Amino acid sequence: MVTRDFITYYDRKMDDSFISKVLSDYPWLIDFVKKTPELDFQTGHDPKQGRSWFYVYRGTSRVLAFASRRNGYKIEAADAYKIIAPTDFFEHPTENSFVEYLKKIRETSNLKRYYKSSKGKKEGYYQNLIGRRYTFETKLEDDFIIIDKEMVVGFKDEPTKTEWNKDIIASQKALIDELRNEYDGKLPQDIHSKYGEIDFLAMTWNGDIIIMELKQDDSQKTSLSPIQVRFYNAQFDKLLNENKDVSANIMKMVRQKVDLGIVNIPKGRSLPQKLSGKIETCVIVGEEAGLSNTICNRFRFVRKLFLPEMKAYTCKSDGTLIVSKKLE
């Protein structure tokens, strides 16, 4: 529970009564998502709003959302999904109607940009692939599990957020100025100094946190990703140092996901008791074959300036991360 004198918070464990209600009404839901390769989970809680959620994603799109309400929940989705859903699907989804719903989603052209189209696999495709691989498909040889997605630091209010981020943003801007002075190649006119959500938050078996940013295409975003990841790294480092509740809150969230079966702890592995305080960072490129030499060289230049220890990965067809040969 967030107290009146909080400044920042990160407490994403869902309310127990909410998730119990959802799963008692739809006991088939978790197994259905796990056996459907194009689907994944995103769960969370915002103590400031007193709100929990249990989402089913297809790529970057939220196709079914349970959001807590007093003594229950509401089933939601964007209008683009509601208009194609089977009759009464959002009043009471069933396993059979979900199958029909997914078929209509695949056939709707304007929704393909969130997952996969005739032009290729989208970022959302890799978000699902990697997210599933390191949650409920985790293997003994893996060094980490993914514990959260689209993670953000919570703040008391907007003025607090602005003040708290001020020094981080100033440091970012100073390095961006340095980048413009030192880099010989072409850079975009507008380079952001602050960003929103962390794509993946992972944790090693030793309690180290890993901040993961996912990219897909051969674009400015890939080459400038160290700037973005450095912002997240600075935020999370400050959060860990200032908020003593974060480690306990994260472990409660992870244990809940393990209990629900949406995060797997392989036999021979065990969760740490608490976070170590160490943070690692990386960027993941879904397919690196299309990365040009210009993008790769710029990435390495930017990384050396902003976040020299950041690693770069791509993934195999099953979502397993491997070191990027082009970016490293």
Side-chain angles (χ1 to χ4, degrees), residues 79-102:
D79 288 342
Y81 291 90
K82 287 183 177 180
I83 61 176
I84 65 169
T87 303
D88 299 329
F89 177 77
F90 286 97
E91 282 68 47
H92 190 78
T94 66
E95 190 166 355
N96 287 337
S97 64
F98 208 151
V99 171
E100 182 183 351
Y101 178 43
L102 284 175

Tab-separated table of all heavy atoms in Angstrom, residues 79-102:
chain	number	residue	atom	x	y	z
A	79	ASP	N	-11.498	-0.564	-29.028
A	79	ASP	CA	-12.687	-0.665	-29.880
A	79	ASP	C	-12.429	-1.497	-31.131
A	79	ASP	O	-13.320	-2.217	-31.603
A	79	ASP	CB	-13.165	0.731	-30.280
A	79	ASP	CG	-13.794	1.482	-29.116
A	79	ASP	OD1	-14.171	0.828	-28.117
A	79	ASP	OD2	-13.914	2.716	-29.206
A	80	ALA	N	-11.205	-1.409	-31.681
A	80	ALA	CA	-10.878	-2.159	-32.901
A	80	ALA	C	-11.024	-3.655	-32.694
A	80	ALA	O	-11.300	-4.410	-33.643
A	80	ALA	CB	-9.454	-1.829	-33.344
A	81	TYR	N	-10.867	-4.112	-31.455
A	81	TYR	CA	-11.008	-5.524	-31.144
A	81	TYR	C	-12.444	-5.865	-30.762
A	81	TYR	O	-12.953	-6.944	-31.091
A	81	TYR	CB	-10.043	-5.917	-30.031
A	81	TYR	CG	-8.611	-5.872	-30.495
A	81	TYR	CD1	-7.859	-4.705	-30.383
A	81	TYR	CD2	-8.027	-6.972	-31.101
A	81	TYR	CE1	-6.561	-4.655	-30.849
A	81	TYR	CE2	-6.725	-6.934	-31.561
A	81	TYR	CZ	-5.992	-5.763	-31.437
A	81	TYR	OH	-4.718	-5.714	-31.911
A	82	LYS	N	-13.097	-4.960	-30.104
A	82	LYS	CA	-14.485	-5.219	-29.698
A	82	LYS	C	-15.409	-5.407	-30.895
A	82	LYS	O	-16.324	-6.237	-30.870
A	82	LYS	CB	-14.988	-4.075	-28.822
A	82	LYS	CG	-14.388	-4.066	-27.421
A	82	LYS	CD	-14.991	-2.945	-26.584
A	82	LYS	CE	-14.449	-2.981	-25.165
A	82	LYS	NZ	-15.016	-1.905	-24.318
A	83	ILE	N	-15.163	-4.644	-31.962
A	83	ILE	CA	-16.086	-4.706	-33.106
A	83	ILE	C	-15.939	-5.989	-33.920
A	83	ILE	O	-16.847	-6.332	-34.683
A	83	ILE	CB	-15.912	-3.480	-34.030
A	83	ILE	CG1	-14.495	-3.428	-34.609
A	83	ILE	CG2	-16.255	-2.192	-33.294
A	83	ILE	CD1	-14.302	-2.301	-35.611
A	84	ILE	N	-14.816	-6.700	-33.767
A	84	ILE	CA	-14.652	-7.941	-34.523
A	84	ILE	C	-14.859	-9.184	-33.654
A	84	ILE	O	-14.836	-10.301	-34.151
A	84	ILE	CB	-13.266	-8.018	-35.196
A	84	ILE	CG1	-12.162	-8.089	-34.138
A	84	ILE	CG2	-13.054	-6.853	-36.150
A	84	ILE	CD1	-10.802	-8.432	-34.714
A	85	ALA	N	-15.031	-8.995	-32.365
A	85	ALA	CA	-15.150	-10.127	-31.445
A	85	ALA	C	-16.482	-10.847	-31.622
A	85	ALA	O	-17.481	-10.245	-32.038
A	85	ALA	CB	-15.009	-9.645	-30.009
A	86	PRO	N	-16.518	-12.137	-31.323
A	86	PRO	CA	-17.793	-12.872	-31.346
A	86	PRO	C	-18.797	-12.226	-30.399
A	86	PRO	O	-18.426	-11.573	-29.419
A	86	PRO	CB	-17.401	-14.273	-30.861
A	86	PRO	CG	-15.937	-14.397	-31.143
A	86	PRO	CD	-15.376	-13.012	-30.975
A	87	THR	N	-20.055	-12.428	-30.678
A	87	THR	CA	-21.124	-11.852	-29.858
A	87	THR	C	-20.951	-12.245	-28.397
A	87	THR	O	-20.716	-13.411	-28.077
A	87	THR	CB	-22.485	-12.341	-30.369
A	87	THR	OG1	-22.619	-11.994	-31.747
A	87	THR	CG2	-23.611	-11.707	-29.573
A	88	ASP	N	-21.032	-11.247	-27.540
A	88	ASP	CA	-20.956	-11.434	-26.081
A	88	ASP	C	-19.589	-11.905	-25.581
A	88	ASP	O	-19.462	-12.307	-24.422
A	88	ASP	CB	-22.029	-12.426	-25.594
A	88	ASP	CG	-23.438	-11.948	-25.882
A	88	ASP	OD1	-23.652	-10.722	-25.884
A	88	ASP	OD2	-24.314	-12.799	-26.107
A	89	PHE	N	-18.565	-11.847	-26.446
A	89	PHE	CA	-17.245	-12.327	-26.018
A	89	PHE	C	-16.759	-11.557	-24.802
A	89	PHE	O	-16.228	-12.142	-23.849
A	89	PHE	CB	-16.233	-12.199	-27.154
A	89	PHE	CG	-14.836	-12.608	-26.757
A	89	PHE	CD1	-14.496	-13.947	-26.638
A	89	PHE	CD2	-13.855	-11.652	-26.482
A	89	PHE	CE1	-13.214	-14.330	-26.258
A	89	PHE	CE2	-12.581	-12.027	-26.106
A	89	PHE	CZ	-12.250	-13.371	-25.992
A	90	PHE	N	-16.917	-10.252	-24.790
A	90	PHE	CA	-16.408	-9.447	-23.680
A	90	PHE	C	-17.345	-9.440	-22.472
A	90	PHE	O	-16.998	-8.874	-21.441
A	90	PHE	CB	-16.098	-8.026	-24.153
A	90	PHE	CG	-14.844	-7.957	-24.980
A	90	PHE	CD1	-14.913	-7.959	-26.363
A	90	PHE	CD2	-13.600	-7.936	-24.383
A	90	PHE	CE1	-13.762	-7.917	-27.128
A	90	PHE	CE2	-12.449	-7.904	-25.133
A	90	PHE	CZ	-12.523	-7.899	-26.515
A	91	GLU	N	-18.515	-10.048	-22.615
A	91	GLU	CA	-19.369	-10.257	-21.453
A	91	GLU	C	-18.966	-11.535	-20.724
A	91	GLU	O	-18.944	-11.595	-19.503
A	91	GLU	CB	-20.847	-10.335	-21.873
A	91	GLU	CG	-21.474	-8.973	-22.152
A	91	GLU	CD	-20.897	-8.296	-23.388
A	91	GLU	OE1	-20.776	-8.978	-24.430
A	91	GLU	OE2	-20.562	-7.090	-23.310
A	92	HIS	N	-18.642	-12.552	-21.518
A	92	HIS	CA	-18.226	-13.820	-20.906
A	92	HIS	C	-17.424	-14.637	-21.927
A	92	HIS	O	-17.978	-15.487	-22.619
A	92	HIS	CB	-19.438	-14.617	-20.421
A	92	HIS	CG	-19.052	-15.791	-19.575
A	92	HIS	ND1	-18.677	-15.669	-18.251
A	92	HIS	CD2	-18.950	-17.113	-19.876
A	92	HIS	CE1	-18.380	-16.867	-17.774
A	92	HIS	NE2	-18.531	-17.765	-18.737
A	93	PRO	N	-16.113	-14.399	-22.013
A	93	PRO	CA	-15.302	-15.161	-22.968
A	93	PRO	C	-15.223	-16.635	-22.591
A	93	PRO	O	-15.173	-16.980	-21.413
A	93	PRO	CB	-13.931	-14.489	-22.869
A	93	PRO	CG	-13.913	-13.822	-21.539
A	93	PRO	CD	-15.320	-13.414	-21.262
A	94	THR	N	-15.213	-17.475	-23.612
A	94	THR	CA	-15.005	-18.909	-23.426
A	94	THR	C	-13.798	-19.325	-24.245
A	94	THR	O	-13.325	-18.569	-25.111
A	94	THR	CB	-16.223	-19.717	-23.887
A	94	THR	OG1	-16.362	-19.568	-25.310
A	94	THR	CG2	-17.486	-19.257	-23.186
A	95	GLU	N	-13.319	-20.529	-23.997
A	95	GLU	CA	-12.162	-21.005	-24.748
A	95	GLU	C	-12.483	-21.095	-26.242
A	95	GLU	O	-11.688	-20.692	-27.088
A	95	GLU	CB	-11.710	-22.361	-24.207
A	95	GLU	CG	-10.371	-22.818	-24.753
A	95	GLU	CD	-9.801	-23.981	-23.962
A	95	GLU	OE1	-10.398	-24.363	-22.936
A	95	GLU	OE2	-8.745	-24.492	-24.384
A	96	ASN	N	-13.662	-21.565	-26.575
A	96	ASN	CA	-14.054	-21.685	-27.982
A	96	ASN	C	-14.226	-20.319	-28.645
A	96	ASN	O	-13.809	-20.110	-29.789
A	96	ASN	CB	-15.363	-22.486	-28.104
A	96	ASN	CG	-15.152	-23.957	-27.835
A	96	ASN	OD1	-14.047	-24.476	-27.969
A	96	ASN	ND2	-16.222	-24.646	-27.456
A	97	SER	N	-14.825	-19.389	-27.920
A	97	SER	CA	-15.011	-18.059	-28.510
A	97	SER	C	-13.688	-17.317	-28.636
A	97	SER	O	-13.513	-16.485	-29.530
A	97	SER	CB	-16.011	-17.239	-27.696
A	97	SER	OG	-15.543	-16.979	-26.378
A	98	PHE	N	-12.723	-17.627	-27.771
A	98	PHE	CA	-11.392	-17.022	-27.882
A	98	PHE	C	-10.703	-17.524	-29.155
A	98	PHE	O	-10.025	-16.760	-29.856
A	98	PHE	CB	-10.546	-17.357	-26.649
A	98	PHE	CG	-9.505	-16.323	-26.324
A	98	PHE	CD1	-9.082	-16.126	-25.016
A	98	PHE	CD2	-8.923	-15.539	-27.314
A	98	PHE	CE1	-8.124	-15.175	-24.693
A	98	PHE	CE2	-7.952	-14.575	-27.000
A	98	PHE	CZ	-7.560	-14.404	-25.701
A	99	VAL	N	-10.864	-18.794	-29.469
A	99	VAL	CA	-10.301	-19.342	-30.710
A	99	VAL	C	-10.889	-18.608	-31.920
A	99	VAL	O	-10.162	-18.215	-32.848
A	99	VAL	CB	-10.575	-20.853	-30.809
A	99	VAL	CG1	-10.188	-21.384	-32.194
A	99	VAL	CG2	-9.811	-21.611	-29.728
A	100	GLU	N	-12.194	-18.404	-31.906
A	100	GLU	CA	-12.862	-17.685	-32.990
A	100	GLU	C	-12.388	-16.231	-33.052
A	100	GLU	O	-12.169	-15.672	-34.136
A	100	GLU	CB	-14.376	-17.744	-32.790
A	100	GLU	CG	-15.180	-17.076	-33.891
A	100	GLU	CD	-16.672	-17.090	-33.636
A	100	GLU	OE1	-17.103	-17.775	-32.676
A	100	GLU	OE2	-17.401	-16.401	-34.368
A	101	TYR	N	-12.251	-15.624	-31.905
A	101	TYR	CA	-11.780	-14.234	-31.791
A	101	TYR	C	-10.386	-14.082	-32.397
A	101	TYR	O	-10.124	-13.158	-33.177
A	101	TYR	CB	-11.785	-13.866	-30.311
A	101	TYR	CG	-11.287	-12.503	-29.929
A	101	TYR	CD1	-11.629	-11.363	-30.640
A	101	TYR	CD2	-10.486	-12.347	-28.789
A	101	TYR	CE1	-11.186	-10.103	-30.247
A	101	TYR	CE2	-10.044	-11.100	-28.389
A	101	TYR	CZ	-10.387	-9.984	-29.123
A	101	TYR	OH	-9.950	-8.746	-28.726
A	102	LEU	N	-9.483	-14.986	-32.083
A	102	LEU	CA	-8.127	-14.930	-32.629
A	102	LEU	C	-8.133	-15.082	-34.143
A	102	LEU	O	-7.342	-14.425	-34.846
A	102	LEU	CB	-7.251	-16.011	-31.997
A	102	LEU	CG	-6.776	-15.745	-30.574
A	102	LEU	CD1	-6.029	-16.961	-30.030
A	102	LEU	CD2	-5.872	-14.521	-30.515
